[in-house]
Amino acid sequence: MNAIEVHNLSKSYGKLHALTDVSFSVETGELFGIIGPDGAGKTTLFRLLTTLINPDSGSAIVDNCDIAKDYLSIRSRVGYMPGRFSLYPDLTVEENLKFFASLFGTTLDASFDLIAPIYKQIAPFSSRRAGKLSGGMKQKLALSCALIHRPKVLFLDEPTTGVDAVSRSEFWDMLSNLKNHNITILVSTPYMDEASRCNRIALCNEGRILGIDTPDEIMRSFDKQLYGIKSSNMYSLLERARKVEGVEDCYPFGERHHLLAGPSFDIQMFTAQLNDIRDLDIVRVEPTIEDMFIKLMKQ
């Protein structure tokens, strides 16, 4: 059974096409990731599915409710954590939690078992104003507030942007634990390394879905040979490698450039053409989700 069904959803702002014919579904209890860079349409999608804006065309169902006809029901059934910290900075941690609980006609005690694993990390700061919390603590408070009414579906728009690596890892651990409560989670992120924490992911760019599958299947579908190359002059290496016969693409990737080899690529011919680069180093590398994203983006 699907908790979210999206059919040909489109949204434009003037001449800017934020979303174009987006379709996908999310199973109940699934942790589904929307992976893409800034400007990919992730926030627009979340605002549509949480009924904050209306689509130009298409439709969507969230927890058996239509986003156009049943918006009031959807708002009571979902939790939404926007990309920007949107709680009240002058209220304390505990005051924010009680306030959001009262908005949904519940109490902090009634939902405490659900948020307890998260709340225990911010409990020492319960009397501190939310605006004075660190980035990681703000995100944990925001997640607690989004869960305070026991939503069926949880929308998290780039929840780990701007927080440190440790807080990012802790946050994803908390999301994994929430699956035990059968909460469907739709999360967006620009960080490709976070994709592996999802059951399935949708790669998106410029308002379109490029591909949907499990992280492992997406990487297995990478059907090209991939090499990592480096030298002391990385810029010159990049420019020259792109001109060698059989090289379909070459792009910066960490400490090495990643070279996408075509059918006619020959490693001996490649090194021979660059034989004046004394410290050239070339090795086979395993593709990542980011490599697949780049490949799909350029098709």
Side-chain angles (χ1 to χ4, degrees):
M1 182 177 179
N2 293 327
I4 301 172
E5 295 183 1
V6 179
H7 304 284
N8 302 115
L9 210 56
S10 296
K11 180 67 178 180
S12 296
Y13 301 99
K15 296 181 179 180
L16 175 64
H17 299 290
L19 287 180
T20 304
D21 292 328
V22 168
S23 299
F24 66 93
S25 62
V26 181
E27 297 177 3
T28 299
E30 188 174 22
L31 176 52
F32 191 96
I34 305 292
I35 315 297
D38 293 341
K42 303 187 298 295
T43 296
T44 295
L45 174 63
F46 277 49
R47 289 176 177 172
L48 288 168
L49 295 180
T50 54
T51 74
L52 298 179
I53 57 175
N54 296 318
D56 296 333
S57 60
S59 62
I61 302 295
V62 177
D63 195 34
N64 295 317
C65 298
D66 187 281
I67 61 170
K69 302 175 183 177
D70 309 312
Y71 62 93
L72 290 178
S73 295
I74 289 177
R75 292 177 184 181
S76 66
R77 298 181 185 203
V78 305
Y80 177 43
M81 182 176 163
R84 288 186 177 182
F85 184 68
S86 58
L87 304 184
Y88 292 94
D90 291 335
L91 295 183
T92 66
V93 167
E94 187 172 1
E95 288 169 342
N96 266 289
L97 284 166
K98 289 182 176 179
F99 173 74
F100 279 91
S102 67
L103 287 181
F104 289 98
T106 185
T107 65
L108 177 58
D109 291 339
S111 299
F112 190 77
D113 63 310
L114 178 61
I115 68 168
I118 310 166
Y119 182 73
K120 70 179 182 181
Q121 299 186 46
I122 56 175
F125 312 102
S126 60
S127 60
R128 182 176 297 182
R129 291 185 179 183
K132 299 296 184 181
L133 295 173
S134 66
M137 291 299 174
K138 284 180 178 178
Q139 299 301 71
K140 291 166 187 173
L141 174 59
L143 179 59
S144 296
C145 289
L147 290 168
I148 199 67
H149 60 297
R150 294 182 176 274
K152 298 290 187 66
V153 183
L154 183 62
F155 293 91
L156 305 174
D157 190 8
E158 298 192 0
T160 59
T161 298
V163 301
D164 62 89
V166 173
S167 295
R168 281 175 58 193
S169 179
E170 290 176 348
F171 194 91
W172 279 92
D173 288 342
M174 289 185 287
L175 295 188
S176 297
N177 291 332
L178 286 175
K179 290 172 58 181
N180 298 328
H181 296 272
N182 206 36
I183 297 175
T184 304
I185 303 174
L186 188 66
V187 57
S188 71
T189 177
Y191 301 123
M192 298 291 169
D193 61 302
E194 293 183 344
S196 62
R197 305 293 296 267
C198 302
N199 298 126
R200 287 189 302 143
I201 58 174
L203 301 178
C204 63
N205 188 52
E206 296 182 344
R208 296 182 181 273
I209 299 292
L210 304 180
I212 299 175
D213 213 325
T214 65
D216 287 342
E217 283 301 317
I218 282 182
M219 286 188 287
R220 274 196 287 267
S221 65
F222 194 93
D223 57 356
K224 301 286 185 179
Q225 288 187 342
L226 194 67
Y227 294 87
I229 59 174
K230 69 176 181 177
S231 74
S232 56
N233 190 335
M234 294 292 281
Y235 179 76
S236 176
L237 177 61
L238 180 66
E239 292 296 304
R240 294 184 60 184
R242 287 172 171 171
K243 298 175 182 178
V244 176
E245 181 183 350
V247 175
E248 290 192 1
D249 196 9
C250 190
Y251 46 87
F253 199 100
E255 65 176 10
R256 292 179 180 268
H257 300 320
H258 275 193
L259 185 154
L260 189 63
S264 63
F265 180 79
D266 183 274
I267 192 169
Q268 292 182 342
M269 184 178 71
F270 178 81
T271 55
Q273 291 194 39
L274 301 180
N275 63 358
D276 58 314
I277 302 178
R278 300 294 182 183
D279 58 347
L280 174 64
D281 182 30
I282 178 169
V283 295
R284 283 290 300 271
V285 294
E286 292 297 320
T288 67
I289 289 175
E290 188 168 356
D291 289 305
M292 190 63 185
F293 179 85
I294 293 171
K295 179 174 177 287
L296 291 171
M297 187 175 62
K298 293 185 176 181
Q299 286 182 349

